[in-house]
């Protein structure tokens, strides 16, 4: 008999991990169960933040967030959802269920994001959860508690996206059932064959069958217990035996015949069990009296009763049996079973069941001459690490060929997952040679940051970005780690829950740093070094707390396999990992060349062939280069690698001004390669590359072949499905992993090229073989793209959701920019010719290609960058947009968008510079040849096409109307900029660009009119009266008449407004309009507008003075006098009234500007008389035959017009003087008629 321990070194698959945090707001639904019918609570919808548990220590965290048992159930239905992840939490009293589907029907708008938590009255037993369905629209969940209550819960599939279905169904959930057999024994494990068929393994070695008819609810179970039928079996049911052939598990003593693993046959007519005594048994369930029809040791050995205790199995390992079908593999076989025994070095056995009722004649071993041992996870022969088979799954294939076996092995906190593709009839050959490994994510292996003095960012900011990298740690874990850290360090910093976690974390760290004593006798440099060391130390301590909790999250609990889609999943204590295939570059980066040489046919890594090359590049050759470059990079210190990455960022995104060779030399010097690269590192690199001929054998083709393996095109995908929110999350996680691996490979190759160019150029045969400059540029272009995509994958975009009916405010949801902009638009690849493991990788590659522009060859990286920037600006996220600006190219389109960013954040000078810089190219149209600086127009069809192109390129950030201003001449472009500044309420810049636009405006009345109006409005807002006057004077008469009142109001509201009004060279056609505006008593331009009488008087006086001055400017003395006369008429009665009110004691200042009864600042009576008389004296009436003296028309007397002569005014003035003489001499009478004083 051949004995061989297989090994596996080829990594063909990789995990795509995800945490189990809620995917949407208000997604948590809780139902408190009761053992009696109708006593279940109604479903309670909770916010995923409102129900979060604050954990102060590791124990509380484990109880609240780490599952004691978990797995995934795949429904027989092809509807949605059909995969359900369940886990047991909170001291085994809560059963949590959620959808675990990655895809959904395209016509279904709802997403199954509801998380159902069932709160049981007592703890759930280990192995006490079972699932079943009949392929319909519901699933049945069975739970067995420690109080021996069996709960039967029917859950509609729709309830995971429509909670109303759950509200209706939960009211019909039946009473918990307590089988009578439990009064004599204890249940051990629950297994469901269908919604109406259960089997419970009992501690006394018996099996209990529960059956109910269709339509019956929970309590209607029919019980049938059965065992081997020996007399000892009956006796064990009455007496609690505790001998060598019993085991203790979960506080219960189990008989050696207790079934620890139970599975139904495909037809559900037989039951296959593995008992604690290392025996496989098959039971016929169709007989009136169920009996054991087959029994055999797992390894086919005969064992004496006294030897049974040596091979007793662990009762907590139910996953050592799998029953599967392989129809047509071997004619006559009905089904098969695969078992695992940990004894005799650990062995798998394949059982072929042809007719179990025939006993050993109907059941046989397949490949009985071969010992099928699990792979050895530890290749070191001196290692004493013990690895256990934790779980395995088998499935797939057609007629027994291309079947898959997935195996999970564990050693303490470490685990490894394996896969084997085999033909059932030729299993031994594949078993020994074709095992492959599933790689863990490199994202989890990233080292903690090591901030340096040269970093522009603060150390706290660097650490925070590390901890809050999307998908790395959950907020609940960081909250718990912070509580543990504060407790351990006795922190006194505030921990207000209303403050963000990021801020509280920084405060706790910095408070601890400040609390440390600092010596006073040290210089500043030493003091700063001590400060940096303290900050790094405290962050490192917190990091250790985080890592300790994170290891608990990723303890494997189960391995599952979906036979419909062909994707396996690893289930952890607080997470899940979908297993996907490695892409081409991942396969080269994760595997040694020797492993690729021995790769099985199922793992094909094709060579790269090109007609321009002499021979194809084999995968192992490319792997030698990749592994050598990675080993070369690992010889560098962490600080040197950090510096190289930082300088590379500036090198890639700055416009090159030097030759490629000079750029390489400059990068080499700035990074300090000469001080870092040792002779041993160079020697090691040469030895690694020796199979390729060392440096002399390297060619450009080796590097370019690796670049060609990067995804560059998508396959035609006719899928009608859409990714779920979980699918988007997995896509982003997978994308993060792919980007990390690809970018690391490109960076390593760039380091090698830089070193060869500067230090080993003499060892290169010729530039024709290895063109270092060309390879450097090719790698640089790819690194630019990958740095961009890595930014998208790590940057968090917070978006506002619509308010729910139960919430008054809008809620916010966060996701990466990659998910929001790109992942939601990608349809998952179909499963027609591939499993979902490879379809998931293909979809990730589609996403990568989609980010870089898809299959559109005309889409450049610069256009993609601007498109992303426009999306960020459209959402109003200026913080992200500002950070993203580091990637913006120097094209006119990009410069304009950068100007829009500056405008949004209020950097007006920078915005104006950008808009001016981009003006000519955008106005002329980079794709149009008939544009010129004078603003020649395109044809309407071409202009419309260009507008649609710019609208699309801006992702809708530009409206169609705005886009029409591009490629349509400078006037249109500048008009658009004017509107931008006006909309942002920056009129001074709007005026500046309006002037620019007018300079280039052709004789187009409409556009010119619009620009002049814009310039006029902006000038008024900035009180630039001269510019407003110029604009007004250039407008058509109709618009001048319309805008003149607005101009007059702005002008006369200024302190020097009247003077400017008189100084402007107004054309004749303005005179009448201005006179009418000034004469309109309904208008007021005074700055005092409090509504008081004094304010009204001042406004009236000021208006009359301005009107008189205006008429005087035009030589209209009669009009000026007429403007002043109503004021005189108003002042005289007021003067008299003031005299009476003061009982004749008032005084008037002759020739002064103030009188009793007058408001300060108003025109005095004396001044009014003198002004009117002087103006009237200037009137030239020599040509008036009827009147020989100056006159004017006045309507101040009750609205009746009358002629007032200069003699009338003089008489009034003389009368006023006489009145004052009487008053001053004290000669007045006691009787007055009206306003006239009796002087008699």
């Amino acid at each position: 008999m051949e004995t061989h321990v297989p090994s596996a070194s080829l990594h063909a698959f990789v995990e795509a991990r995800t945490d189990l945090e809620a995917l949407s707001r208000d997604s948590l639904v809780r139902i408190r169960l009761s053992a009696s019918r109708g006593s279940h609570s109604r479903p309670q919808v909770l916010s995923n933040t409102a129900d979060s548990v604050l954990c102060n220590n590791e124990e509380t965290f484990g109880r609240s967030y780490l599952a004691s048992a978990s797995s995934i159930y795949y429904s027989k239905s092809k509807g949605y959802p059909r995969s359900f992840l369940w886990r047991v939490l909170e001291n085994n009293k809560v059963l949590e269920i959620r959808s675990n589907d990655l895809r959904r029907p395209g016509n279904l708008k709802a997403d199954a994001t509801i998380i159902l938590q069932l709160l049981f009255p007592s703890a759930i037993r280990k192995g006490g959860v079972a699932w079943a369905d009949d392929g319909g629209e519901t699933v049945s969940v069975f739970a067995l508690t420690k109080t021996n209550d069996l709960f039967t819960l029917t859950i509609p599939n729709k309830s995971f996206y429509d909670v109303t279905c759950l509200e209706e169904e939960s009211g019909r959930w039946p009473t918990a059932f307590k089988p009578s057999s439990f009064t004599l024994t204890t249940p051990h494990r629950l297994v469901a064959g269908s919604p109406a068929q259960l089997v419970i393994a009992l501690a006394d070695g018996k099996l209990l069958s529960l059956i109910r008819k269709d339509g019956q609810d929970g309590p209607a179970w029919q019980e049938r217990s059965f065992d081997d039928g020996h007399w000892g079996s009956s006796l064990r049911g009455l007496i609690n035996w505790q001998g060598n052939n019993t085991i203790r598990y979960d506080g219960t003593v189990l008989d050696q015949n207790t079934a620890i693993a139970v599975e139904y046959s495909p037809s559900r007519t037989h039951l296959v069990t593995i008992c604690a005594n290392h025996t496989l048994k098959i039971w016929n369930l169709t007989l009136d009296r169920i009996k054991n029809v087959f029994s055999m040791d797992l390894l086919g050995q005969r064992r004496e009763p006294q030897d049974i205790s040596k091979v007793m199995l662990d009762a907590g390992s139910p996953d050592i049996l799998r029953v599967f079908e392989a129809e047509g593999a071997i004619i006559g076989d009905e089904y098969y079973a695969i078992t695992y025994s940990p004894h005799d070095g650990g062995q798998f056995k394949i059982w072929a069941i042809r007719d179990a009722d025939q006993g050993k004649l109907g059941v046989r071993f397949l490949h009985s001459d071969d010992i099928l041992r699990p792979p050895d996870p530890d290749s070191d022969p001196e290692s004493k690490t013990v690895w256990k088979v934790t779980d395995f799954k088998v499935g797939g294939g057609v007629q027994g060929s291309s079947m898959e076996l997935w195996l999970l092995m564990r050693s303490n906190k470490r685990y490894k997952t394996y896969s084997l593709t085999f033909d059932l009839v030729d299993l031994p050959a594949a078993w020994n040679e074709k095992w492959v490994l599933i790689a863990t994510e490199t994202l989890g292996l990233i080292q903690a940051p090591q901030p340096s003095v040269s970093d522009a960012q603060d150390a706290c900011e660097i650490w925070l970005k590390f901890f809050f990298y999307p998908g790395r740690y959950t907020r609940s874990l960081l909250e718990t780690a912070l509580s543990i850290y504060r407790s351990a360090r006795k922190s006194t910093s505030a921990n207000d829950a209303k403050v963000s976690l990021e801020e509280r974390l920084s405060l706790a760290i910095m408070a601890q740093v400040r609390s440390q004593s600092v010596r006073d006798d040290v210089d500043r440099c030493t003091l700063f070094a001590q400060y940096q060391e303290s900050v790094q130390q405290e962050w490192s301590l917190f990091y250790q707390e985080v890592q300790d909790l994170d290891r608990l999250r990723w303890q494997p609990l189960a391995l599952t396999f979906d036979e419909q889609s062909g994707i396996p999943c690893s289930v952890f204590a607080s997470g899940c990992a979908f297993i996907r295939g490695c892409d081409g570059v991942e396969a080269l980066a994760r595997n040694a060349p020797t492993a690729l040489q021995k790769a099985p046919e199922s793992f094909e890594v094709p060579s790269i062939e090109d007609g321009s090359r002499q021979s194809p590049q084999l995968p192992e050759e490319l792997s030698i280069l990749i592994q050598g470059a990675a080993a070369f990079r690992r010889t560098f210190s962490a600080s040197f690698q950090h510096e190289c990455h930082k300088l590379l960022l500036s090198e890639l995104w700055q416009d090159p001004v030097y030759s490629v060779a000079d750029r390489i030399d400059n990068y080499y010097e700035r990074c300090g390669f000469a001080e870092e690269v040792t002779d041993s590192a160079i020697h090691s690199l040469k030895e690694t590359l020796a199979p390729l001929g060392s440096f002399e054998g390297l060619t450009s083709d080796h590097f370019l072949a690796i670049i060609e393996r990067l995804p560059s095109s998508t396959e035609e995908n006719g899928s009608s499905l859409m990714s779920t929110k979980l699918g988007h999350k997995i896509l982003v996680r997978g994308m993060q992993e792919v980007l990390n691996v690809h970018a690391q490979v490109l960076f390593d190759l760039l380091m090698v090229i830089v070193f060869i160019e500067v230090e080993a150029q003499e060892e290169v045969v010729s530039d024709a073989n290895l063109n270092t400059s060309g390879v450097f540029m090719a790698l640089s272009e790819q690194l630019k793209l990958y740095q961009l995509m890595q930014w998208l994958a790590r940057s968090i975009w917070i978006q506002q959701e619509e308010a729910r009916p139960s919430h008054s405010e809008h809620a916010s949801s966060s996701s990466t920019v990659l998910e929001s902009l790109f992942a939601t638009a990608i349809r998952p690849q179909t499963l027609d010719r591939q499993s979902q493991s490879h379809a998931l990788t293909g979809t990730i590659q589609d996403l990568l290609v989609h980010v870089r522009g898809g299959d559109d060859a005309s889409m450049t990286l610069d256009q993609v960058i601007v498109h992303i920037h426009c999306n960020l600006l459209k959402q109003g996220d200026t913080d992200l947009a500002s950070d993203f600006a580091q990637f913006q190219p120097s094209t006119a389109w990009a410069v304009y968008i950068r100007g829009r960013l500056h405008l949004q954040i209020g950097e007006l000078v920078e915005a104006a510079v950008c808009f001016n810089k981009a003006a000519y190219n955008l106005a002329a149209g980079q794709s149009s040849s008939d544009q010129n600086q004078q603003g020649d127009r395109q044809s309407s069809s071409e202009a419309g096409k260009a507008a649609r192109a710019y609208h699309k390129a801006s992702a809708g950030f530009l409206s169609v109307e705005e886009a029409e201003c591009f490629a349509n001449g400078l006037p249109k472009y500048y008009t658009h900029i004017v509107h931008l500044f006006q909309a942002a309420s920056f009129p001074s810049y709007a005026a500046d660009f309006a002037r620019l636009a007018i300079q280039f405006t052709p004789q187009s009345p409409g556009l010119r009119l619009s620009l002049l109006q814009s310039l006029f409005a902006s000038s008024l807002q900035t009180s630039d009266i001269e510019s407003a006057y110029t604009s007004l004077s250039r407008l058509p008469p109709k618009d001048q008449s319309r805008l003149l009142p607005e101009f007059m109001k702005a002008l006369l509201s200024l302190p020097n407004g009247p003077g400017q009004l008189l100084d402007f060279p107004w054309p004749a056609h303005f005179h009448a309009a201005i006179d009418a505006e000034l004469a309109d008593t309904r208008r007021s331009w005074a700055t005092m507008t409090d509504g008081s009488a004094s304010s009204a008087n001042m406004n009236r006086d000021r208006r009359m003075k301005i009107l008189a001055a205006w008429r005087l400017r035009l030589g209209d003395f009669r009009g000026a006098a007429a403007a002043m006369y109503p004021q005189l008429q108003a002042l005289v009665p007021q003067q008299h009234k003031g005299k009476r009110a003061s009982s004749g004691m008032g005084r008037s200042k002759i020739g002064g500007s103030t009188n009793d009864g007058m408001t300060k600042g108003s025109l005095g009576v004396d001044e009014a008389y003198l002004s009117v008389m002087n103006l009237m004296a200037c009137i030239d009436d020599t040509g008036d035959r009827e009147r020989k003296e100056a006159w004017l028309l006045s309507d101040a007397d009750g609205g009746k017009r009358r002629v007032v002569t200069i003699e009338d005014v003089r008489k009034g003035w003389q009368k006023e003087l006489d009145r004052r003489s009487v008053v001053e001499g004290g000669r007045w009478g006691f009787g007055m008629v009206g306003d006239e004083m009796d002087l008699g």
Side-chain angles (χ1 to χ4, degrees), residues 760-1063:
Q761 186 63 42
E762 66 277 2
E763 300 184 36
V764 178
V765 176
S766 67
D767 288 342
N769 289 341
L770 179 58
N771 182 0
T772 52
S773 296
V775 173
F776 178 83
M777 289 303 300
L779 292 171
S780 297
E781 287 301 314
Q782 291 297 325
L783 280 168
K784 285 180 65 175
L785 174 64
Y786 276 86
Q787 285 187 353
L788 169 69
M789 292 190 290
Q790 285 180 316
W791 185 93
L792 297 174
R794 70 171 178 263
S795 298
I796 297 296
W797 194 351
I798 299 178
Q799 297 171 294
Q800 295 296 321
E801 295 178 344
E802 293 184 2
R804 301 287 183 89
S806 58
H807 299 274
S808 58
E809 71 279 357
H810 288 268
S812 61
S813 62
S814 62
S815 61
T816 62
V817 179
L818 178 67
E819 178 181 347
S820 299
L821 295 186
F822 298 100
T824 54
I826 294 295
R827 288 185 177 270
Q829 289 192 358
T830 62
L831 307 181
D832 297 339
R833 294 172 296 175
Q834 60 185 345
S835 67
Q836 193 170 355
S837 288
H838 294 93
L840 178 56
T841 301
T843 307
I844 293 172
Q845 291 178 322
D846 290 345
L847 176 58
L848 191 152
V849 175
H850 181 60
V851 172
R852 63 192 303 172
D855 294 327
D856 186 359
S858 64
M859 181 69 71
T860 65
L861 178 60
D862 290 348
Q863 291 172 323
V864 171
I865 292 172
V866 179
H867 188 272
I868 296 171
H869 209 182
C870 289
N871 268 293
L872 298 175
L873 291 173
K874 183 173 68 173
Q875 297 296 328
D877 198 329
T878 54
D879 290 338
L880 274 183
S882 299
D883 190 26
F884 185 78
Q886 62 184 309
F887 304 114
Q888 277 283 32
S890 56
T891 62
W893 177 229
V895 170
Y896 164 79
I897 295 301
R898 192 182 302 123
R900 293 293 296 267
L901 169 63
H902 289 307
L903 183 60
Q904 283 196 9
I905 60 180
E907 296 176 351
L908 305 182
V909 175
E910 293 82 356
V913 170
C914 289
F915 291 147
N916 271 320
K917 187 177 180 180
Y920 180 80
N921 287 329
L922 291 185
Q926 295 178 350
S927 61
S928 302
S929 59
D930 58 345
Q931 290 296 314
N932 56 52
Q933 188 171 340
Q934 279 69 38
D936 294 339
R937 290 180 173 273
Q938 300 182 31
S939 66
S940 59
S941 60
E942 291 176 341
K945 183 178 179 180
R948 290 190 296 272
Y950 279 108
H951 174 69
K952 181 180 179 181
S954 70
F957 178 56
L958 295 180
S959 65
V960 177
E961 292 76 13
E962 289 177 317
E964 289 175 351
C965 297
F966 295 91
N968 212 1
L970 282 172
K972 279 278 190 180
Y973 172 81
Y974 282 131
T975 302
H976 164 62
I977 304 302
V978 169
H979 293 161
L980 290 180
F981 279 110
Q982 285 181 332
S985 300
F986 298 120
S988 62
Y989 288 89
D992 292 341
F993 280 96
R995 294 187 189 97
L996 281 173
I998 292 172
Q999 291 179 15
F1000 298 101
T1001 303
Q1003 298 304 319
S1004 174
L1007 182 59
R1008 190 177 183 83
L1009 174 62
S1010 175
L1011 288 170
L1012 288 172
Q1013 290 175 347
S1014 297
L1015 178 58
F1016 174 79
S1018 300
S1019 299
L1020 287 186
Q1021 292 181 55
T1022 56
S1023 298
D1024 187 356
I1025 297 300
E1026 292 185 3
S1027 178
Y1029 167 77
T1030 304
S1031 304
L1032 182 65
S1033 62
R1034 299 167 70 181
L1035 288 170
K1038 180 179 179 180
D1039 294 285
Q1040 290 176 343
S1041 301
R1042 178 172 56 83
L1043 297 176
L1044 181 62
E1046 185 178 353
F1047 176 80
M1048 296 287 292
K1049 180 177 182 180
L1051 174 64
L1052 298 178
S1053 296
L1054 300 176
N1056 60 340
Q1060 287 183 289
L1061 173 68
L1062 301 178
D1063 292 338

Side-chain angles (χ1 to χ4, degrees), residues 94 169 275 292 308 406 422 581 772 1171:
V94 173
E169 184 65 33
C275 299
N292 178 9
I308 296 298
W406 297 86
F422 64 95
T772 52
S1171 297

